[in-house]
Amino acid sequence: MKKVAIIGSGTMGNGIAHTFAQNNFQVSLIDVSDDALKKALITIEKNLDRQVVKGVISDGDKSKTLANIQTFNNLKEGVGDADLVVEAASENLETKLKIFKELDNLTKPETILASNTSSISITKIASITNRTDRVIGMHFMNPVPVMKLVEVIRGYSTSNEVTNTVLELSKSLSKSPVEVNDYPGFVANRILMPMINEAIYTLFEGVAGVAEIDTVMKLGMAHPMGPLQLADFIGLDVCLSILEVLHKGFGNPKYAPCPLLVNMVAAGKKGVKSGEGFYSYDHGTKDLIVAEKFRK
């Protein structure tokens, strides 16, 4: 297995492409937008430059990594000879179902189809294909080149062979894969999102301010990043989407998104990606400034 196709060139997609290419895989990075692909390559090169400065890789490694990546805006051309396809498109069920239906028709019968979904059912995604045994979840963590964890999500029909192949493949990327079963939110987000949601409720109910909530969790619980800053980093729209999947999947009110989160997403305040969430990012993310809405 040496040829990998990545669908989606956003934050997760370009990070996954970077990681595979750096480990000597031939990578096809696919996106409908030429501008998005150009931006992705710029991001990958900047991240490689950081690794060179830190002594993690050499200039030669950087050049080889970039040479391992080809870009495509045509799905058929990009996935035709792939041994593995990793979908990292929008966290939207209908979008994913459409992509996987196309992939089932465009790829070799033996190609493994993986999704980087953070919450959507692998079993449901697989059901749209004629290869339910070869569909699996590979949930990478952001930033992908740095974070070690890969949640390997086994759908109801995913075979032992495919699961073991993906576990070993993840190890070859210097990752630490963990096999989990296919239930809403898997493990990472089933635990993380209720914590973030509770932090938003704590703010919503006036218990404490943004900086105070994050400081308590950083200093008291040894979290490297407070839950509200982390929500901004993930994207408030993504947090809302995952909570909605959890709420619908389990039918439990404890997963109901906080009204404040719902309103912020509706207002376009999605965190780092939009320049404002619980913090303002107009001046960069190194100096965190609480957003005007939440200042006392």
Side-chain angles (χ1 to χ4, degrees):
M1 185 178 290
K2 295 304 292 181
K3 294 184 177 180
V4 179
I6 314 297
I7 299 174
S9 63
T11 300
M12 296 304 296
N14 72 59
I16 296 168
H18 173 157
T19 300
F20 273 103
Q22 191 174 316
N23 285 277
N24 299 314
F25 288 83
Q26 297 300 310
V27 176
S28 298
L29 182 58
I30 306 161
D31 201 298
V32 293
S33 167
D34 284 327
D35 287 342
L37 287 169
K38 289 175 185 175
K39 184 178 177 183
L41 290 177
I42 292 169
T43 299
I44 292 169
E45 185 163 10
K46 284 181 180 177
N47 288 336
L48 287 166
D49 285 336
R50 289 193 188 97
Q51 290 179 302
V52 171
V53 170
K54 292 177 180 177
V56 176
I57 62 172
S58 67
D59 281 315
D61 294 328
K62 172 192 167 182
S63 298
K64 286 179 184 177
T65 299
L66 291 171
N68 283 336
I69 303 172
Q70 284 186 291
T71 60
F72 298 87
N73 54 23
N74 182 295
L75 195 62
K76 184 177 181 180
E77 291 178 8
V79 304
D81 61 351
D83 302 307
L84 169 72
V85 179
V86 182
E87 171 272 320
S90 169
E91 192 68 359
N92 176 279
L93 176 61
E94 295 308 315
T95 299
K96 292 187 187 298
L97 293 181
K98 181 181 177 184
I99 289 171
F100 273 80
K101 190 167 186 178
E102 289 186 63
L103 289 176
D104 194 38
N105 293 323
L106 295 174
T107 56
K108 300 177 293 185
E110 64 271 23
T111 300
I112 295 173
L113 305 181
S115 177
N116 182 58
T117 180
S118 53
S119 62
I120 293 171
S121 169
I122 298 301
T123 303
K124 188 172 287 186
I125 291 172
S127 70
I128 206 74
T129 74
N130 293 307
R131 62 180 91 187
T132 56
D133 60 322
R134 303 192 72 76
V135 178
I136 196 165
M138 289 185 77
H139 181 207
F140 291 86
M141 304 294 132
N142 187 26
V144 181
V146 176
M147 300 292 279
K148 292 292 186 183
L149 177 66
V150 179
E151 264 190 316
V152 177
I153 303 104
R154 183 175 185 147
Y156 188 85
S157 300
T158 307
S159 70
N160 290 333
E161 176 196 358
V162 167
T163 302
N164 291 331
T165 297
V166 170
L167 288 169
E168 291 305 312
L169 175 67
S170 300
K171 291 175 186 175
S172 76
L173 301 173
S174 299
K175 301 299 184 187
S176 299
V178 177
E179 181 183 342
V180 304
N181 289 320
D182 185 24
Y183 291 96
F186 317 130
V187 172
N189 282 313
R190 183 172 178 174
I191 295 169
L192 175 63
M193 287 302 153
M195 183 192 75
I196 287 176
N197 200 39
E198 196 61 32
I200 299 172
Y201 264 114
T202 304
L203 175 66
F204 179 58
E205 294 170 357
V207 178
V210 171
E212 289 76 13
I213 291 167
D214 277 356
T215 299
V216 166
M217 296 305 290
K218 285 191 287 185
L219 300 185
M221 311 304 165
H223 290 194
M225 188 183 292
L228 299 177
Q229 184 189 356
L230 179 57
D232 276 357
F233 183 68
I234 294 168
L236 301 190
D237 54 335
V238 176
C239 292
L240 177 59
S241 175
I242 295 169
L243 282 164
E244 287 172 340
V245 168
L246 288 166
H247 191 210
K248 182 179 179 181
F250 290 114
N252 191 322
K254 74 178 180 180
Y255 298 114
C258 177
L260 175 58
L261 175 62
V262 175
N263 278 347
M264 289 178 71
V265 173
K269 309 300 182 183
K270 299 177 182 179
V272 175
K273 69 175 77 174
S274 68
E276 185 179 325
F278 295 105
Y279 295 90
S280 171
Y281 299 92
D282 294 341
H283 306 289
T285 57
K286 289 185 179 178
D287 244 349
L288 283 176
I289 302 170
V290 175
E292 185 69 37
K293 169 83 175 176
F294 303 110
R295 289 182 205 166
K296 292 180 181 179

